[in-house]
Amino acid sequence: MGTRGPCALVDTTPARTILVYRNGDQFFVGRKCVLARRRVATFEALLEQLTEQVEVPMGVRRLYTPTRGSQVLELDALRPGGKYVAAGREPFKKLDYIHIVPRKPAKMRKLKEIKPVVHCDISVPSRWQTCHRLCRHINVFTNGELFIPPVRIIIPKFSLTDWNNVLGTIGEKVFPLGGVRKLFTMSGHLLDNSKHLQDNHFYVAAGLETFKYFPYWRCPKVPTEVQQKYMDIEKHSQRKKKGDPKGKEPHRQDGPAPKAQDSVFYAKEGKKKTVGEPLVHSGAEGDVYKAQTPNLETQGAPEVKEAQDVQEEVPVDQVPAETVKEDDQILSNDPGSESNEQHLSRMSARIKKWFRFLKKKKKRRRSREEKKVKLLTL
């Protein structure tokens, strides 16, 4: 049997708790510090722990008693539940540390809303409050979609200042073709400002397309009051449509439209084109150009003959055909054709010289490139 070694004694001393104040701070209530024997074995370890828990400008370097200001130099001099003052390199500052009481937090005053000046008994909210301070709760349909129920959207107050932000907020929950670009009422009125939005009202979001007139108000999610309102509007419009044609029938029978009477683009009734009869040649019997009865004044007058210089205008189909000379014949007869041929020959010679120059230039470039390639390969 082996012999047992001496039993290791366990330190059973309880941890000490002290209250530490900050030197010269009359508003610091104090901080409780627990000093365990294992962690705080020396006085220097105690100062390091106090530096972590109590904020002192240059770190805790000294420890004083709160009443007399005597400096504590040993760890055993600390009493459990005692009160001390932590300081740096500066001397002790006399204050009533023991009677420092924590201040009560000051009560925040409620900001009073600025009410508008009222000159009568009716209480009207200010325009600033209604337009900018309150959110908007609206219900939005999708344009042309009757089977998609309306979506309830809350538009924040900071988005109401910009209409594009309002459309962007609606576009996060409603998805028409091309995104939300327009907002209409259920009757088809286009909105362009957030001031026209009203709480708990119904609207129709559309993209770039036009508004589609569908009975959105028949959706079961629409309140009965709103449905009844739009039903009355629809009945009233149907009555107007039925009454209009009856009143206009007698007016239509009065006569044709003014456009049909005066316009040159409409054919007039009762006027038909008559086919012209062929005229009889002059000199024949029944000719309109020959007087039936001779005039007494013109009897015995000499006949005036037409002058030879007078030119007569003949129709194109009756003009005799003329022979048109070709260009080659004109050039051959022209004395200046020889000079033209010389000019053309000179131009062709110059063009040939220019093409030869370009070929030589290309050959020189190729030879230079080949030399460079050879040098690089070497």
Side-chain angles (χ1 to χ4, degrees):
M1 296 293 293
T3 58
R4 290 183 179 179
C7 295
L9 297 175
V10 180
D11 190 5
T12 57
T13 54
R16 286 176 288 185
T17 305
I18 60 173
L19 187 65
V20 182
Y21 297 95
R22 191 185 291 128
N23 187 28
D25 194 349
Q26 58 182 351
F27 302 105
F28 188 73
V29 182
R31 183 72 57 85
K32 283 187 179 181
C33 300
V34 180
L35 308 178
R37 190 71 181 177
R38 290 183 180 179
R39 292 186 63 186
V40 184
T42 60
F43 191 73
E44 292 179 358
L46 171 65
L47 296 178
E48 290 179 2
Q49 184 177 349
L50 293 176
T51 302
E52 294 176 0
Q53 296 182 0
V54 182
E55 294 180 0
V56 178
M58 301 299 294
V60 179
R61 293 292 178 267
R62 295 175 185 176
L63 205 62
Y64 299 98
T65 56
T67 52
R68 296 183 180 180
S70 56
Q71 189 175 357
V72 180
L73 300 173
E74 296 179 359
L75 192 62
D76 297 333
L78 298 175
R79 293 178 299 168
K83 298 178 180 180
Y84 302 94
V85 179
R89 301 288 184 185
E90 71 275 7
F92 176 75
K93 296 177 182 179
K94 291 183 180 181
L95 289 174
D96 192 4
Y97 294 102
I98 297 171
H99 296 94
I100 293 175
V101 181
R103 291 183 299 171
K104 292 181 180 179
K107 292 182 179 179
M108 296 293 291
R109 294 180 181 179
K110 292 182 179 179
L111 297 174
K112 294 182 180 180
E113 295 181 357
I114 301 171
K115 294 182 179 180
V117 179
V118 180
H119 299 285
C120 59
D121 297 335
I122 302 170
S123 59
V124 181
S126 62
R127 186 179 178 185
W128 175 78
Q129 183 178 0
T130 55
C131 294
H132 300 286
R133 292 191 63 191
L134 302 178
C135 299
R136 287 283 178 271
H137 301 260
I138 61 174
N139 304 284
V140 183
F141 287 95
T142 305
N143 187 29
E145 300 290 341
L146 289 175
F147 298 103
I148 298 176
V151 181
R152 188 171 178 81
I153 300 172
I154 300 172
I155 301 175
K157 57 186 178 181
F158 56 82
S159 297
L160 292 171
T161 54
D162 190 1
W163 183 242
N164 291 328
N165 291 341
V166 174
L167 297 178
T169 306
I170 296 169
E172 292 176 359
K173 294 188 178 180
V174 181
F175 309 101
L177 187 63
V180 178
R181 301 294 180 86
K182 301 174 186 176
L183 192 67
F184 298 89
T185 59
M186 284 196 292
S187 59
H189 178 66
L190 178 62
L191 302 179
D192 58 353
N193 200 335
S194 60
K195 293 179 182 178
H196 303 299
L197 296 177
Q198 298 181 14
D199 285 332
N200 300 321
H201 276 232
F202 290 82
Y203 300 96
V204 180
L208 296 173
E209 72 276 7
T210 56
F211 178 77
K212 297 178 182 178
Y213 289 90
F214 289 145
Y216 301 99
W217 48 270
R218 290 183 181 176
C219 181
K221 288 193 176 184
V222 179
T224 54
E225 298 175 359
V226 180
Q227 288 183 1
Q228 189 64 33
K229 175 185 172 183
Y230 281 94
M231 282 176 69
D232 296 340
I233 294 169
E234 188 176 4
K235 287 178 181 177
H236 184 65
S237 62
Q238 287 177 359
R239 287 174 187 171
K240 277 189 174 180
K241 288 179 182 178
K242 288 179 181 178
D244 288 344
K246 289 180 181 178
K248 290 181 181 178
E249 279 178 1
H251 180 69
R252 288 179 182 174
Q253 293 175 358
D254 293 342
K259 286 185 179 178
Q261 292 177 358
D262 303 331
S263 178
V264 297
F265 298 102
Y266 292 89
K268 295 181 181 179
E269 296 180 358
K271 291 185 179 180
K272 296 182 180 179
K273 292 183 179 180
T274 56
V275 180
E277 296 179 357
L279 295 173
V280 183
H281 293 288
S282 62
E285 294 181 359
D287 189 2
V288 294
Y289 298 104
K290 186 176 181 181
Q292 299 294 331
T293 57
N295 193 357
L296 298 174
E297 296 177 357
T298 58
Q299 286 182 2
E303 187 179 355
V304 180
K305 294 181 180 180
E306 293 182 358
Q308 296 179 359
D309 299 334
V310 176
Q311 294 182 358
E312 293 183 6
E313 290 185 0
V314 185
V316 178
D317 54 350
Q318 296 180 10
V319 175
E322 295 179 359
T323 56
V324 180
K325 294 181 180 181
E326 294 183 358
D327 295 339
D328 296 337
Q329 293 177 359
I330 293 165
L331 291 170
S332 61
N333 296 329
D334 189 5
S337 59
E338 295 179 359
S339 61
N340 292 333
E341 290 178 0
Q342 291 177 1
H343 179 69
L344 290 172
S345 61
R346 288 174 186 172
M347 288 295 293
S348 60
R350 288 177 184 176
I351 291 166
K352 288 178 181 178
K353 285 181 180 180
W354 176 250
F355 278 112
R356 288 171 189 170
F357 175 73
L358 290 175
K359 286 181 181 179
K360 289 179 181 179
K361 200 172 183 180
K362 284 183 181 179
K363 287 180 181 180
R364 290 174 185 174
R365 284 183 182 176
R366 286 178 185 175
S367 61
R368 288 175 186 174
E369 289 176 358
E370 289 176 359
K371 288 179 181 181
K372 287 181 182 179
V373 171
K374 287 179 181 180
L375 290 170
L376 291 170
T377 52
L378 295 171

